[in-house]
Every structure is written in structure tokens, then in C-alpha cells.
Amino acid sequence: MADRLLDNPQSRPSPHFLGAVVLQQIQNPSGSMQERTIIDGQQRLTTLQVLFDALHSQLVEFKIKAAAMRLETLIVNPEAFCAKPEDRFKVWPTNRDRPAFNEVMGADPPVDYSNLNHRSERLVEAHIFFAIRAKQWLEAEGSDRVELRANCMETAAREFLQMVVIDLNADENAQEIFETLNARGAQLTAADLIKNFIFQQLLERGGDVERSYERHWKNFETAFWETEIASGRFRYPRSSVFLNHWLASQTGEEIVAREVSTRFKRFSLESNQEMNDLLALLDRASGVYRSFVDGGAKMTGPVDRFQLFAYRTGVLESEVVKPLILFLYNPELPKIPNEQLDKALSTIESWMVRRMLVRATTKSYTQVIAELIRHLKGENRRTTAGDSIESFLASQKSDGRYWPDDQELRNTLRGLPAYRRLQRGRLRMVLEAIEDHLRGWKGDSTGLGGERVTRGKYAIEHIMPRKWNLNWPLPEGSRVEVERDALIHTIGNLTLITRRLNSKLSNGPWEGDAGKRQTLESHDVLIMNREILKNQTEAWSDSSIRNRSDELTNLIIEIWPVPEGHRSEQSSETVTFRHRVDLTDLLSGGYVHVGDVFTPRPKKYVDFKATLLSDGRLDVGGKIYSTPSEAGKSIRGRSTNGWYFFLVDPKLKLSLGQVRSKYLASISADDEDDEVEDDDD
């Protein structure tokens, strides 16, 4: 706009339209300065204030006094009307930005940015950016033209930026207008909508908005709560996921993500609570939620039952338990006796781990947890929560809900190729639990030395290697290679070691200096490895694997028990159908999207990106490949399991294979492909 004025000073160019903003009147005493709440347009109005102030600082620096004075009227209010500090500026931004806003906007020009306490804040960086660009533009034609250019810049800012203003009366429904306008703009999160609703209600009822924000909401605008986490197929800010879980804990209902803000508004009316009291409830519940998340991330040192449950259910990638946690640990309700709390957690964990091991579907989990919360709300079941949860889960009979019994677990684990069928983290968690059990962590008993195994650290190692045919011949006369290929991936042939062995040692024979026995003796910090060496006096064989599978299954049954006499009445021969998955399946299911860029896991290949095309093929450097493995082979120059090689999310180390597993779980299928991870990567 300034360039147009400069090129043709006699013309009046068409103004630049910045869209519509929605304001709502605030009742004020006669004679005082009129105020408006910004319902929609906060970013534009705040950005314009920073822009105008940065430009004003440059006009002052260049001593363009008249233009600076005219522009200043768009930034600050007349001093005679400023009854309180926040009255000074035309726009008073959201709470989290106020310290930086006040400091940079209140600094005398020329602004010494290096001495500002909030120099690193993005709002201050924006002020710096605008000031630098304004100075560059003003000086573009030399000092003789600075004043002319300054007047054009000031005129453009003051006269040729236009907005449509929707000015609501104090009693009009601002929230409905706000949500309607934003439905067609940038997608607002549930936390955004709920925050706006809460503080609009507080404002209308004369509440102390500043105090409520500082005490109860400010925490939700920190990095922890703004981090995006996976929930189902999509990612949402943790604050929005928490609000969903909190509502579910309060109502005992399944609440889908798109309905969270609507359900919150209805709940606030149904609960008949003051908005500030409701805000305080959210704040206290958020403390429980955060302690659960932090507890699950604690990988070393002592952990209590609550933290161990958080870790194990986190490994199971199950967000659905969090509403139940918020209900059980609700500080507003009567405290549940500790023994009943421990039993509740142990019962839920047993139900989930057993279902994971027998490869049962997770489709109904959200519904089950919602029903369980409603069940616990009735007939004073809270004080006997552990017993109530146990009886509830033991009574479930359908495929999506039942609690697998001991016999089904034995039948499944005896032949399940666990290394291929279970996600590595889940399998590691089971082996960690076995190690803890062997160390003496049984129920309330404290283990040997008082310390559990380090979580999430150890590598899973095959005792009889996957390349067994090099040094592990079949018994004479035996030709059942397929049977052994399946057997080596069962749980009886797996252990944990402190670090992954190189391929030579990993594939070596049982005996000898480079053998597996010697290797395990060198890495025998874990009791489960001592048990292997103590019990295996002869060569490690197929029968050794079968025997150990039975032994470990018995330990799993002890760690995650079911009620005495429990029978699940499910067929131990349940057949899971198999399905060969390709990227078109993940596309149609919404698990990946056209244009997604996949990154190789090994750092030395990170520059080779694979872009997903609409037909499920991958584009790597302009060459098209039909499968992830073909694309991976083209990058590495040798055979590659592309599902493991490519990461969908490098920060979370989320591989294509993990996304594929989620898809398969959603359709209750196994994959026909039994590709193995590339361990030497």
C-alpha cells in the first residue's frame, strides 16, 4: 500500500481488506473509557499493534515527528482515560503474552532489544522483525527520501488497512458466533473452544477473569499440555485429550473428539456449578493426569503401583484407561482404600495384557471403560472399586470384552511367534515383568535389592538365532524346518540383554568361546538369564524352547492373574484371519495421507525421503517404487524391511510397521507378511 502511494501520490488506492473481527461490548460506567472483548480476531489485532508500534519506533528514530504522533493514536489511549495500567494500550493481549507485550510496547524508542527481559519471546521477535523491515524500507532510496516514504507508510497503516467489525451487545451469544466463524477458518482445538466458553461465561457473570486464569488455566498453556499426542488415528494437543478424558470420567460416556466442546457446555449446565468452581475442578484433575503421564515416563528407580500401571498401559498405547484413572483418583470424591485401588489397577492391567497376548481386538475398549465408570458410580461401589472391576470384567463374554483365562493363554503362547506378532515394546514390557517377578516383586512384596529392572532399555535377543541353520542343525533325520522357523520366535526362545549383540555373536552356536552360553554368561545381570544357564546343562534345543515357553507362561499367569476358577468360554482355537497389507489399505483407513513424507530410520540415510502417492506407491528422488521394501532397498542397496526402515514420525520413532500394526488391530487381522526388523540397523 505504501509503494502504491509512493508511485502515485495523487491517487487513492483501494484499501487492503483484513477480514472481519467480532467484538462484544462490556458495560461500563458513564464517562469511562469504552471497552470491548475480542471474540474473534485476537491474532490480527495484536499483530497490528506490534507492527504499528515497531513502525512508530522507527518514525521517532528518524525524527518524523508528525507522522509518529498520528500513528501513536492507533497504539495508546489518551492518558486522561487510563484508570488502570491495562487501559494504556488499545489492545490488551491474552494473559500469557502480557509481560512481553508490555515490555516491548512500553519501551522508549529507539528500543534496546538486547536489554529486554523477554528478548527471546516470539512477540518481541515479531516487533524486531517489523522494526528491521520498516527501517530497510524507509532507507531504500537514501536519506533525502526518508520523510516522504515515512509519510506514505504512516498513511497506508492509518487509512488503507480495513476491517469489518461485528460489534455485539453485552447480552448477545458471542460463543455461538465465534464457533460459527471459526468452523470455516483455522481448526480450533477443544481446549481453545472450552477456554473461550469458560472465560466468556466468567466475564458475563462478573467473575475475576484475571485471577481465574492465573490460578486455574495458565498451566494449560505450557509445553506439556500443548504437546500433540496420538489419540486414535489422529494427533491432538494433550490439553484437548485431557478434557475429553475428564468429561468421560465425569459422565461415564464415550465422547468423540469433535464433540468435546459441545459436551462440555452441556455438562456445565447439567452440573449447575459456578464456572470458577468448574475451572478449579479441571485444574485439580489435571494434576492427577500429569502425575500419571510423568509416572509412566519414569524408566529407572523405584516406582509405585500407580506409576508401574501408567508405564505398562502406556506401552500398550492405550489412552482409554485415563478416564478411569481420573475417576478412581478424583480428589473431589471419597478416597478409595489403597488395597482396593491396587486391586483395581492390577485387574485392569491383567485384562489388557492378557487380551494383548492372545491378540484380541481393542475395538470396544472405550465403550468398556465408559460402562465401567458408570458401573462404579452406582450403589456405593467406589469403596470396593477393585472387587467391582474384577466382577465386572469377569462377567464379560463377547469377543471385544472378555478376560482370557489361563488355558487360553497357555494354548496361545505355546505356539505364538511372539517376536513377529507382538510389538517390540509390548513384548519387552512382558519380559521386564517376568524379570521383576523373578527378582521377588510379587504383589506387595519388595524385590531383591529393592530395585526393578530398568524399563524400556534392554534389547530382545533370540537364544536360538533366527539364522539357526548356520550353527544349529536339526536333530538327525528331522526335516521340519518350517516348524523350527516358527518356534524360534516364541516367547520361550526370547530373553533380554543389556545391549544388542553383533550379528556374529548373535548367530553363533550354543557352546564355545563365541557361543550363546558364553555370551549370556557375560551378560547375566538379569536373573532370567541365570535361570537359562542354570537349567540348561545340555545344548539349547527345540524342546528347551517349548519347556521354557510353558515356564514363562506360568509366570505370566502369576503376574497377571484372573479370579480363581475363571473361564472365558472362548475357543482356544480362535482363528485370526490374515491380510496382506499395503499402503493403499493405510490410505483408505486414514492412517496415512497422500503427500506424507517418510524418513529412513538410520541417520546416514535421512536425506533420502519417500513421498506417498495417491496410488500407494512411493516417490524417492523422482523414482517410483511399489512397496516400502522396494524403496528401502533402493536407498540401502540391499534387501530391506521397508515397514521397519521408514519412520512416519521421526521424533516419536513411529515406523510404518507400527502404523500397519494399528491398522491390523482395528480389523482384528494378522499380516500375511512376516518380515523381520533389520537388527543390524
Side-chain angles (χ1 to χ4, degrees):
M1 297 306 301
D3 279 333
R4 290 179 189 175
L5 281 173
L6 195 62
D7 293 340
N8 192 352
Q10 305 306 318
S11 69
R12 187 172 179 83
S14 298
H16 181 67
F17 180 57
L18 293 175
V21 297
V22 182
L23 310 179
Q24 186 163 41
Q25 300 172 18
I26 297 176
Q27 293 181 354
N28 59 292
S30 178
S32 64
M33 186 165 58
Q34 291 192 4
E35 297 179 29
R36 300 287 192 276
T37 298
I38 305 173
I39 303 303
D40 189 46
Q42 294 96 328
Q43 284 187 318
R44 277 168 293 166
L45 291 174
T46 305
T47 302
L48 282 173
Q49 285 295 289
V50 176
L51 168 61
F52 291 165
D53 192 68
L55 178 55
H56 174 264
S57 72
Q58 294 304 307
L59 296 179
V60 171
E61 192 169 342
F62 282 104
K63 296 181 173 57
I64 315 296
K65 188 174 180 180
M69 291 175 67
R70 289 193 297 269
L71 191 60
E72 190 175 24
T73 63
L74 300 181
I75 304 168
V76 297
N77 291 309
E79 188 175 346
F81 287 93
C82 297
K84 49 188 184 297
E86 57 264 33
D87 291 343
R88 178 183 179 187
F89 297 112
K90 293 286 187 182
V91 172
W92 191 236
T94 190
N95 307 62
R96 67 188 300 182
D97 290 323
R98 285 178 187 170
F101 182 86
N102 281 333
E103 185 177 39
V104 73
M105 295 286 287
D108 293 329
V111 181
D112 184 0
Y113 295 106
S114 62
N115 283 330
L116 297 182
N117 294 326
H118 300 279
R119 168 64 182 82
S120 60
E121 294 287 337
R122 294 181 67 183
L123 192 144
V124 175
E125 291 179 345
H127 198 285
I128 296 170
F129 170 81
F130 289 137
I132 291 172
R133 296 302 296 272
K135 184 175 183 178
Q136 290 172 343
W137 191 86
L138 291 171
E139 294 180 324
E141 296 180 293
S143 58
D144 292 343
R145 299 266 290 176
V146 167
E147 186 169 359
L148 174 62
R149 293 176 72 86
N151 285 320
C152 289
M153 177 76 86
E154 175 267 325
T155 301
R158 190 165 45 83
E159 297 184 15
F160 295 113
L161 299 179
Q162 291 191 355
M163 292 182 179
V164 169
V165 178
I166 302 171
D167 197 18
L168 306 177
N169 293 326
D171 57 353
E172 291 186 89
N173 192 330
Q175 181 73 8
E176 292 299 325
I177 294 173
F178 172 72
E179 292 186 17
T180 301
L181 285 172
N182 279 281
R184 288 173 283 178
Q187 190 67 37
L188 294 174
T189 67
D192 292 329
L193 294 170
I194 289 172
K195 175 191 176 184
N196 199 67
F197 171 73
I198 288 173
F199 288 100
Q200 184 69 26
Q201 294 291 309
L202 283 171
L203 195 65
E204 291 174 2
R205 298 173 190 180
D208 189 337
V209 174
E210 297 291 327
R211 187 167 182 268
S212 296
Y213 173 87
E214 289 294 328
R215 291 187 64 186
H216 301 308
W217 190 270
K218 185 177 181 179
N219 181 49
F220 288 116
E221 295 181 348
T222 57
F224 175 84
W225 293 103
E226 291 182 344
T227 299
E228 289 195 344
I229 60 173
S231 181
R233 302 180 187 179
F234 304 105
R235 299 180 66 80
Y236 303 95
R238 185 179 272 121
S239 56
S240 295
V241 177
F242 159 71
L243 289 166
N244 188 328
H245 291 159
W246 182 80
L247 275 174
S249 75
Q250 296 290 313
T251 63
E253 299 174 8
E254 293 180 80
I255 302 171
V256 297
R258 65 178 178 274
E259 296 175 357
V260 174
S261 62
T262 303
R263 185 64 184 92
F264 183 89
K265 285 190 285 184
R266 194 165 84 245
F267 175 79
S268 72
L269 295 173
E270 293 168 350
S271 64
N272 200 31
Q273 295 188 76
E274 290 294 328
M275 194 56 65
N276 201 55
D277 294 337
L278 196 56
L279 195 53
L281 292 182
L282 277 176
D283 187 19
R284 287 192 287 273
S286 73
V288 175
Y289 195 90
R290 177 154 194 172
S291 66
F292 188 73
V293 173
D294 290 344
K298 188 177 180 182
M299 297 298 167
T300 59
V303 289
D304 57 25
R305 192 65 189 85
F306 178 79
Q307 294 168 323
L308 188 64
F309 178 80
Y311 165 70
R312 288 175 176 172
T313 55
V315 170
L316 294 174
E317 298 175 5
S318 186
E319 286 285 309
V320 297
V321 299
K322 289 178 179 173
L324 181 61
I325 290 296
L326 290 172
F327 175 81
L328 294 175
Y329 290 86
N330 187 341
E332 319 303 325
L333 297 176
K335 190 177 184 301
I336 299 172
N338 288 335
E339 66 274 10
Q340 285 294 311
L341 267 178
D342 288 348
K343 184 172 184 179
L345 300 183
S346 298
T347 300
I348 290 289
E349 191 179 297
S350 171
W351 179 74
M352 293 179 69
V353 171
R354 282 178 175 243
R355 287 183 60 83
M356 178 271 293
L357 289 172
V358 302
R359 313 269 291 144
T361 179
T362 61
K363 279 184 178 180
S364 301
Y365 280 15
T366 305
Q367 186 181 38
V368 171
I369 294 298
E371 287 183 20
L372 195 47
I373 291 171
R374 294 199 299 272
H375 177 74
L376 293 172
K377 283 175 175 283
E379 299 180 13
N380 293 321
R381 294 192 182 101
R382 183 173 177 80
T383 55
T384 57
D387 295 334
S388 297
I389 291 173
E390 183 183 73
S391 62
F392 177 88
L393 293 178
S395 68
Q396 303 302 308
K397 302 300 180 186
S398 67
D399 287 345
R401 296 162 168 262
Y402 80 98
W403 194 355
D405 61 24
D406 295 349
Q407 191 57 49
E408 182 179 2
L409 213 55
R410 288 191 174 95
N411 292 343
T412 300
L413 292 180
R414 191 166 290 146
L416 177 73
Y419 190 79
R420 284 181 168 172
R421 291 286 180 259
L422 304 179
Q423 290 184 19
R424 297 294 185 271
R426 298 175 183 180
L427 182 55
R428 181 188 292 111
M429 180 269 288
V430 171
L431 293 172
E432 289 167 353
I434 291 172
E435 174 67 19
D436 282 347
H437 193 75
L438 292 172
R439 291 185 181 191
W441 292 93
K442 303 174 183 179
D444 295 331
S445 302
T446 301
L448 303 174
E451 188 166 338
R452 292 180 181 272
V453 67
T454 301
R455 293 166 290 283
K457 173 185 175 182
Y458 292 98
I460 300 172
E461 177 72 11
H462 289 73
I463 303 171
M464 181 183 291
R466 283 174 286 173
K467 296 180 181 179
W468 55 267
N469 51 346
L470 298 176
N471 294 293
W472 301 67
L474 287 165
E476 189 173 345
S478 175
R479 298 185 180 277
V480 192
E481 296 183 5
V482 174
E483 184 176 339
R484 174 172 280 187
D485 283 337
L487 189 64
I488 60 172
H489 295 299
T490 57
I491 195 167
N493 193 46
L494 304 175
T495 191
L496 296 176
I497 56 173
T498 51
R499 61 179 177 83
R500 180 166 281 169
L501 307 178
N502 65 48
S503 58
K504 184 177 180 180
L505 288 177
S506 183
N507 294 314
W510 175 251
E511 301 289 356
D513 292 339
K516 273 298 182 71
R517 174 186 284 278
Q518 180 64 41
T519 301
L520 288 176
E521 287 177 349
S522 301
H523 297 81
D524 65 352
V525 294
L526 301 184
I527 293 179
M528 67 168 62
N529 292 334
R530 297 182 201 171
E531 292 292 314
I532 292 170
L533 297 172
K534 181 175 70 175
N535 297 331
Q536 197 61 38
T537 55
E538 300 178 0
W540 186 259
S541 64
D542 297 28
S543 61
S544 304
I545 297 173
R546 293 189 182 93
N547 291 337
R548 186 165 177 268
S549 288
D550 290 340
E551 292 167 4
L552 295 189
T553 300
N554 288 333
L555 293 178
I556 289 170
I557 287 170
E558 289 181 34
I559 297 166
W560 292 292
V562 291
E564 187 175 354
H566 172 70
R567 295 290 180 269
S568 57
E569 300 179 8
Q570 301 295 315
S571 170
S572 60
E573 301 298 326
T574 299
V575 177
T576 305
F577 76 88
R578 296 168 69 81
H579 176 58
R580 182 178 294 276
V581 177
D582 58 32
L583 288 172
T584 58
D585 292 304
L586 304 187
L587 274 169
S588 62
Y591 288 82
V592 293
H593 304 88
V594 174
D596 282 355
V597 177
F598 306 139
T599 304
R601 182 188 298 269
K603 292 181 180 179
K604 62 183 177 181
Y605 301 120
V606 291
D607 292 333
F608 296 88
K609 310 290 186 182
T611 303
L612 181 59
L613 305 178
S614 59
D615 59 1
R617 295 186 298 168
L618 292 171
D619 181 337
V620 180
K623 294 185 178 181
I624 310 302
Y625 300 94
S626 299
T627 68
S629 294
E630 285 183 12
K633 183 178 180 181
S634 74
I635 294 171
R636 294 177 68 199
R638 59 189 174 90
S639 296
T640 297
N641 176 1
W643 294 98
Y644 178 74
F645 181 72
F646 286 110
L647 298 175
V648 176
D649 188 331
K651 290 183 180 179
L652 298 177
K653 298 293 185 184
L654 180 67
S655 70
L656 264 178
Q658 289 172 300
V659 175
R660 178 177 64 173
S661 296
K662 290 180 181 180
Y663 167 77
L664 287 164
S666 74
I667 62 172
S668 302
D670 278 340
D671 193 352
E672 286 188 355
D673 293 320
D674 277 340
E675 293 184 285
V676 179
E677 292 181 3
D678 299 301
D679 285 347
D680 54 345
D681 280 334

